[in-house]
Amino acid sequence: MTAEALPDSLHRQPDGSRWPVPPADGFTVDEFFTLDLPPHTELIDGSLVFVSPQRNFHTLAMYLLEQGLRQHVPDDLRVRREMAVVLGRRNAPEPDLVVVKADSVAGLRQTRYEAADVLLAVEVVSPDSEDRDRDTKPHKYAAAGIGHFWRVEMSGEHDRPVVWTYECDAVTKKYVSTGVHHDRLKLSVPYDIDIDLTAIDEL
């Protein structure tokens, strides 16, 4: 994100830092991408959402799934992590992982993807993001037409990842559950995927 903050939308914090204050009707996506913000800030319904420090599980689950997605990704697709996805005029969340069309990749300075270019969005749930990852964001992803969604949570006595998989109903624009995966994630959509979820123990 570039460092062209809006001078009339800044508010000085007690520590002297200055954070942007949304206009009465919220930030637009275009305004959002001009602000100087902490890494991984998201725009949800015109408001800024800041990310709290993550648990080790979050980092390792992302790494495990990213490597698994990359293993057999077709030539016409790409796997990206922590990239903003524009869903509309006032929404630009940042999924933990996305699978996008290769022809949507515009170079190393690219900061976002459009929803139409995303085949899969993945969210690894953290304590501070449970409501967003379980409810707010999947509803918005489905409404924007993103075909597949995975929700990943820590579960069981070994704190391993469990993956809930969903597919978007083209008529209702809502996600339909397609499975819950505990030790192994083996799928044929959006392409052939086979991930040993227990391998997180070795990372």
Side-chain angles (χ1 to χ4, degrees):
M1 301 186 186
T2 60
E4 299 175 12
L6 304 178
D8 58 348
S9 299
L10 297 178
H11 179 70
R12 187 173 295 279
Q13 303 299 308
D15 64 359
S17 62
R18 293 171 67 85
W19 296 114
V21 176
D25 55 350
F27 285 120
T28 65
V29 166
D30 289 340
E31 291 167 339
F32 173 67
F33 284 103
T34 68
L35 299 174
D36 184 15
L37 298 167
H40 313 305
T41 303
E42 299 180 289
L43 182 69
I44 304 291
D45 293 330
S47 296
L48 302 177
V49 178
F50 300 100
V51 178
S52 299
Q54 300 296 328
R55 296 180 298 189
N56 203 34
F57 169 82
H58 191 277
T59 298
L60 296 181
M62 282 179 57
Y63 176 81
L64 178 68
L65 293 170
E66 180 183 13
Q67 295 306 305
L69 285 167
R70 289 186 185 280
Q71 189 171 10
H72 299 294
V73 65
D75 291 341
D76 62 339
L77 300 176
R78 297 289 185 271
V79 179
R80 295 291 184 264
R81 62 182 294 165
E82 299 173 312
M83 288 288 291
V85 175
V86 177
L87 304 182
R89 188 166 179 265
R90 299 190 185 280
N91 285 283
E94 185 182 281
D96 290 312
L97 295 165
V98 290
V99 173
V100 299
K101 299 172 185 175
D103 61 11
S104 70
V105 177
L108 297 179
R109 298 187 183 215
Q110 185 170 0
T111 59
R112 71 196 89 169
Y113 291 98
E114 299 296 323
D117 296 320
V118 179
L119 279 72
L120 167 68
V122 181
E123 295 288 357
V124 180
V125 177
S126 298
D128 72 313
S129 68
E130 288 179 354
D131 288 342
R132 292 193 303 276
D133 292 343
R134 293 173 180 170
D135 185 46
T136 305
K137 292 167 84 172
H139 278 89
K140 292 184 181 299
Y141 294 154
I146 295 176
H148 300 273
F149 173 69
W150 297 355
R151 190 181 85 243
V152 185
E153 303 208 24
M154 186 172 70
S155 182
E157 62 178 314
H158 298 293
D159 289 340
R160 288 175 176 159
V162 174
V163 182
W164 281 260
T165 57
Y166 301 87
E167 188 167 350
C168 187
D169 183 309
V171 175
T172 65
K173 290 293 184 77
K174 293 182 179 179
Y175 284 125
V176 177
S177 175
T178 57
V180 182
H181 307 264
H182 291 268
D183 294 325
R184 186 180 184 191
L185 179 62
K186 187 174 176 63
L187 303 169
S188 60
V189 291
Y191 56 91
D192 289 335
I193 296 163
D194 192 353
I195 303 173
D196 178 7
L197 298 174
T198 68
I200 197 170
D201 297 343
E202 303 166 12
L203 297 179

